[in-house]
Amino acid sequence: LAKTTQPISMDSYEGQEVNITCSHNNIATNDYITWYQQFPSQGPRFIIQGYKTKVTNEVASLFIPADRKSSTLSLPRVSLSDTAVYYCLVGTMNTGFQKLVFGTGTRLLVSP
Amino acid sequence: DAMVIQNPRYQVTQFGKPVTLSCSQTLNHNVMYWYQQKSSQAPKLLFHYYDKDFNNEADTPDNFQSRRPNTSFCFLDIRSPGLGDAAMYLCATSREGYNEQFFGPGTRLTVL
């Protein structure tokens, strides 16, 4: 399973765009990149997943360069409620399921 | 709404006294997972069920057992809890062939 490296923490203000970059230098050909969000005392919640180029949903965008050795989660116009830990994970389907290995995560603090 | 339910949300047990945590799901997913998350750490996979097939992680202590009597329910048994087993225990599910895992709110276990 590819190991991921991401900043321990980030600070932002309401209304700003936040970009969290994750490094995964030994990503395998079949690996997908997935991001989860976790609020205190809650289980993680799936945000977005991608394989290459750019993926966008109603919550975030995920940018993946051609070499796929890194990825950037972009949160547009953050609010206080976006304060959470964001985990970048890399893995592949293994006979029908994905084994998640969580890294340290990035603790995002959004201030007024 | 379809969801993953964990009971109880908070559990207190005594050192060495067996404890069982429960998880139920209305998603009809065939894969269920148990994670352990200690304070300020990332979730760590303990084991998972793929249908009725049980898969233990190599570093999961023997003290931890699991049962899945049917598709909807899964139990985590801690035979002799130690102080180091105090943590949040997260249950998650996924559908075969899909990457996204759906997490429950977790059970916070305190060992006295």
Side-chain angles (χ1 to χ4, degrees):
Chain A
L1 294 168
K3 182 180 177 180
T4 60
T5 303
Q6 51 185 125
I8 296 294
S9 64
M10 294 182 68
D11 295 322
S12 184
Y13 293 98
E14 281 189 294
Q16 289 188 335
E17 178 184 77
V18 171
N19 296 306
I20 306 175
T21 298
C22 177
S23 297
H24 27 81
N25 290 317
N26 57 340
I27 188 170
T29 302
N30 295 330
D31 283 345
Y32 282 77
I33 301 154
T34 310
W35 286 79
Y36 280 78
Q37 174 193 55
Q38 186 176 27
F39 297 114
S41 299
Q42 294 188 28
R45 183 177 72 105
F46 175 92
I47 301 176
I48 198 166
Q49 182 181 80
Y51 183 78
K52 61 180 179 181
T53 62
K54 177 184 174 182
V55 179
T56 298
N57 61 23
E58 64 279 4
V59 177
S61 295
L62 179 59
F63 298 91
I64 306 169
D67 66 4
R68 303 199 329 121
K69 293 185 182 299
S70 67
S71 60
T72 299
L73 174 72
S74 181
L75 305 172
R77 298 179 299 281
V78 294
S79 63
L80 297 178
S81 63
D82 292 317
T83 293
V85 178
Y86 292 83
Y87 292 100
C88 166
L89 301 99
V90 175
T92 187
M93 274 298 182
N94 183 1
T95 60
F97 71 95
Q98 185 181 42
K99 180 174 176 177
L100 295 182
V101 178
F102 286 83
T104 54
T106 297
R107 190 172 298 273
L108 174 65
L109 175 62
V110 180
S111 300
Chain B
D1 289 339
M3 57 176 58
V4 181
I5 303 162
Q6 291 190 245
N7 286 308
R9 293 294 311 276
Y10 300 90
Q11 176 74 55
V12 179
T13 190
Q14 293 180 334
F15 182 94
K17 184 175 181 180
V19 65
T20 295
L21 310 180
S22 71
C23 175
S24 63
Q25 52 129 341
T26 60
L27 298 162
N28 202 33
H29 287 169
N30 60 330
V31 190
M32 294 187 77
Y33 311 77
W34 278 105
Y35 291 82
Q36 179 192 63
Q37 185 174 26
K38 296 188 175 180
S39 181
S40 299
Q41 296 184 21
K44 179 178 177 297
L45 181 65
L46 295 174
F47 27 60
H48 75 272
Y49 275 94
Y50 188 92
D51 293 323
K52 292 185 178 181
D53 293 333
F54 177 72
N55 297 272
N56 201 29
E57 292 301 299
D59 56 354
T60 298
D62 293 338
N63 200 24
F64 291 86
Q65 305 286 322
S66 185
R67 296 170 284 135
R68 189 180 186 185
N70 53 52
T71 299
S72 301
F73 286 87
C74 196
F75 299 99
L76 170 62
D77 300 310
I78 308 177
R79 291 191 296 185
S80 182
L83 298 179
D85 296 327
M88 175 79 85
Y89 289 89
L90 296 161
C91 174
T93 72
S94 68
R95 187 160 54 139
E96 178 182 1
Y98 289 80
N99 286 330
E100 182 177 353
Q101 290 190 17
F102 294 81
F103 284 80
T107 294
R108 185 169 296 281
L109 177 68
T110 300
V111 181
L112 300 177

